[in-house]
Amino acid sequence: MFANIPEGWLLLGALVTFMAGFVQGFSGFGFAIVFTPIFSLIFGSPQEVVFLAPILGFILSTAVMIEARRALRRKHALPLLLATAIGTPLGIGIRTLLNIQALKLVIATLALLIAFLRLFKFPLKIPDGYRTLATGGFLGGLLNGTTSMGGPVPSLIIAFQNWDVHEARAALVSFNLLSYFLATTVALGAHIAKFSWFTSILWLLPFAAFGSICGVLAVRYVSRLTFALFITGIVGLSGCVGLTSIILKL
């Protein structure tokens, strides 16, 4: 992917990877939201980029999960992860039966609408409890399997709960860790990846890791409100990314 690329573009790629790593380390999710669309536009290799994003995201999520493990609550993680494990394969299985572009449009529009309402303090209430988490995990996994845009659903549900920053972040990273693992497994199992692509991972990983470390350090100094607003901003960004991918047919 980096063959015959000018140095300026390589530096931009390193900066984007750092930013994506920062978002992942800070919030526990969002690496692919930042990384995938920009890299696809810069380097013109969307299939390779879509493969690189979950692998880099999985590596970073594993490291963040080790750091955040003490804040993870079983009552939060179990319904979220079990439902994600059910929804993701189902989404992959029904992908060919759906109009993916139309589904992306619905998800992106809803993400932007909810982010807008949240930022302007419109009174929205999502109930707490394992049923809500299971619903979010299932829908997130289902949408990941069909469109790779499943993150906004569980992240918004978690953002609306009255949880400590570190509890919310640990739950989000557990969802993304499983999602990235399933996406990587499917990509390798379906033989859609090339061995040469792994060299790109080796080049990008230091920048992603450094960004993630900076994000992990930064999140220690923010309030619950600031963290919730950050998540809302990433969800809004995911809506913009979704609409862009529809326009560009990525």
Side-chain angles (χ1 to χ4, degrees), residues 11 17 29 34 45 52 59 66-67 82 92 99-100 111 159-160 188 207 210 228-229 232 235 242:
L11 290 175
T17 307
F29 84 111
V34 177
S45 182
L52 293 178
I59 295 171
I66 293 172
E67 181 268 337
L82 289 174
I92 294 171
N99 185 323
I100 301 303
F160 276 83
L188 294 174
F207 302 103
F210 182 54
L229 289 174
T232 304
V235 170

Side-chain angles (χ1 to χ4, degrees), residues 123-146:
L124 295 173
K125 177 64 177 178
I126 297 178
D128 199 351
Y130 71 91
R131 291 182 181 177
T132 302
L133 289 174
T135 301
F138 178 78
L139 291 176
L142 189 71
L143 295 173
N144 262 338
T146 53

Side-chain angles (χ1 to χ4, degrees), residues 39-50:
F39 252 71
S40 297
L41 292 174
I42 293 175
F43 297 102
S45 182
Q47 188 177 13
E48 183 176 354
V49 172
V50 169

Side-chain angles (χ1 to χ4, degrees), residues 44-70:
S45 182
Q47 188 177 13
E48 183 176 354
V49 172
V50 169
F51 173 71
L52 293 178
I55 291 185
L56 286 168
F58 175 75
I59 295 171
L60 296 183
S61 294
T62 301
V64 174
M65 190 73 259
I66 293 172
E67 181 268 337
R69 67 189 185 280
R70 292 189 178 89

Side-chain angles (χ1 to χ4, degrees), residues 84-103:
T84 301
I86 296 171
T88 302
L90 180 60
I92 294 171
I94 66 174
R95 181 184 177 94
T96 57
L97 304 176
L98 301 174
N99 185 323
I100 301 303
Q101 293 297 88
L103 190 57

